Amino acid sequence: MQGKHILLGVSGGIAAYKTPELIRLLIKQGAEVRTTVTRNALQFVTETTLQTLSGAPVYSDVFAAINEHATEHISLPEWADLMIVAPATANVLAKCAAGIADDALTTTLCSCMAHKPILIAPAMNDKMWENPAIERAVETLRGFPNVRLIEPEEGLLACGTSGKGRMPEPDVLCEHVLAALTPKTMQGRRVLITAGPTVEPIDPVRFVSNYSSGKMGFALARECLRRGAEVTLVCGPTALHIEGYDRQLTYRPVQTAQQMLAAASEAFPESDLTILCAAVADYRPASVAQEKLKKQPGIDTMTLRLVENPDIAATLGRKKQAGQTLVGFALETENEEQNALGKMARKNLDFIVLNSLRDEGAGFGTDTNRVRIYSSDGAKKDCPLARKEAVARQILDGLTT
Ligand code: PMT
């Protein structure tokens, strides 16, 4: 979002208390933010707060006595790369759908409607959301090619009842902005991603696994979504959640390597691009005890017999058809390049992404990674240490698929 101009419209609902945080997140991502508000919005959030956080005057009054920004409703849309209205009350939704422009926010929105990408995040009581007039307004707005409605969420509402009408949290809104600004270079492509660890049970309370958190795979899945792809994410046990923008993923949670193979094999035939980021256990316990294994008095060693797991990458590599691209990962601790290239050849991969545990900040669990991408035609690309989101972008840019 570096250098992008985001115009934030705030209308008078209780969810307006969340918009200062949205400004902070957008600015943290490198965007410049300007705000326009309805008079009622200022009952919920102050002009001082919005001005301080955005670092710019708030456009709130078309007819202010001394108004150096007399034509802000025209110049702000020209300045903006995208406008987001959060929260959008029932009143603003209905006006916007009808083309009514009677205050700073709605005049600005009106002049944006035909020219700029617009995100609208409705927030209201569930009874108001169910009003047929509002439903009609929503339908009308869905018909505008450059308008995208961010569906309100179900949950506890300000009036104390529960229902649909909550504005999504600022981080989710921020993700929608990021996605809306991302060129849709993967539109129409189907992507399969494996992520996280596999967990191979020993008995009902113990297992064999590894330190993968799923962060790298999630970052790849999100970036593919932002670029317009249809994404299936097959993921081992992880602390990460599918919420907000990620709900657009087809999510297949699994535990074991055998389950991961089954889920990946199902999605693979339809997939144009498959990225195998999961850290799959190479071996699993030969048998799973039905009851918790007990400590044996007087016996101070224990042998666990392991059997080989299926190799998902190699299995898919054998089934790969022309037009399908298969990408593996390799996490190495020594002879990194040689080991990675060996895996690419043995598993019939088109690319392999190498991360080394010898690089600080790379690999398991971290928020950052440092990778090198090798292609089967001999090319290689270095991606310096960066957050996994940025590494995901570089990986996808590096796959000439
Ligand atoms: O999840 P994070 O905490 O963010 O960490 C990310 C990561 C370090 C797990 C990721 O960047 C990574 O490197 N994943 C691969 C880990 C690994 O150890 O791979 P490998 O060298 O064992 O396997 C090579 C390739 O074969 C991988 O694409 C792997 O998914 C695949 N494989 C391996 C074994 C097996 N039985 N089936 C497989 O498909």
Side-chain angles (χ1 to χ4, degrees), residues 27-40:
I27 288 178
K28 207 169 146 195
Q29 294 265 358
E32 275 183 53
V33 180
R34 299 279 181 276
T35 52
T36 174
V37 297
T38 63
R39 216 170 257 288
N40 291 336

Side-chain angles (χ1 to χ4, degrees), residues 207-259:
F207 54 81
V208 175
S209 190
N210 59 66
Y211 296 113
S212 173
S213 62
K215 287 179 186 172
M216 191 65 243
F218 264 63
L220 282 160
R222 282 185 189 134
E223 186 56 25
C224 290
L225 266 190
R226 288 182 197 124
R227 294 180 183 206
E230 267 177 55
V231 185
T232 299
L233 177 61
V234 179
C235 190
T238 173
L240 304 175
H241 298 291
I242 297 293
E243 51 194 10
Y245 193 77
D246 293 338
R247 291 207 183 99
Q248 295 170 71
L249 292 166
T250 302
Y251 188 58
R252 302 286 311 273
V254 295
Q255 297 271 329
T256 65
Q258 287 168 304
Q259 291 169 359

Side-chain angles (χ1 to χ4, degrees), residues 212-214 216 276-278 282 310 312-313 329 343 347 355 365 388:
S212 173
S213 62
M216 191 65 243
L276 303 169
C277 183
D282 287 324
I312 302 165
F329 266 71
K343 284 177 184 174
K347 302 184 189 212
N355 34 198
K388 281 181 173 161

Side-chain angles (χ1 to χ4, degrees), residues 170-348:
D171 60 328
V172 177
L173 297 180
C174 190
E175 181 58 45
H176 277 276
V177 172
L178 189 55
L181 290 170
T182 304
K184 298 291 169 265
T185 51
M186 294 177 76
Q187 193 78 49
R189 305 198 57 139
R190 277 165 298 195
V191 179
L192 164 64
I193 294 173
T194 66
T198 63
V199 162
E200 313 293 337
I202 298 170
D203 68 12
V205 299
R206 303 180 183 92
F207 54 81
V208 175
S209 190
N210 59 66
Y211 296 113
S212 173
S213 62
K215 287 179 186 172
M216 191 65 243
F218 264 63
L220 282 160
R222 282 185 189 134
E223 186 56 25
C224 290
L225 266 190
R226 288 182 197 124
R227 294 180 183 206
E230 267 177 55
V231 185
T232 299
L233 177 61
V234 179
C235 190
T238 173
L240 304 175
H241 298 291
I242 297 293
E243 51 194 10
Y245 193 77
D246 293 338
R247 291 207 183 99
Q248 295 170 71
L249 292 166
T250 302
Y251 188 58
R252 302 286 311 273
V254 295
Q255 297 271 329
T256 65
Q258 287 168 304
Q259 291 169 359
M260 188 172 273
L261 173 65
S265 299
E266 201 182 308
F268 183 68
E270 302 300 320
S271 143
D272 304 304
L273 170 64
T274 300
I275 307 179
L276 303 169
C277 183
V280 184
D282 287 324
Y283 294 90
R284 66 177 185 278
S287 61
V288 181
Q290 291 303 306
E291 305 299 338
K292 182 181 172 187
L293 294 176
K294 295 285 183 292
K295 198 169 163 181
Q296 304 289 328
I299 298 180
D300 59 4
T301 61
M302 183 184 185
T303 304
L304 190 63
R305 207 168 77 80
L306 301 175
V307 293
E308 196 177 6
N309 259 332
D311 191 309
I312 302 165
T315 308
L316 301 184
R318 283 191 294 273
K319 293 183 181 163
K320 190 173 64 173
Q321 302 285 319
Q324 286 189 302
T325 302
L326 188 57
V327 183
F329 266 71
L331 177 70
E332 301 296 337
T333 57
E334 52 164 358
N335 299 326
E336 288 91 339
E337 180 169 291
Q338 195 187 338
N339 287 337
L341 292 176
K343 284 177 184 174
M344 177 161 62
R346 280 196 304 279
K347 302 184 189 212
N348 192 24

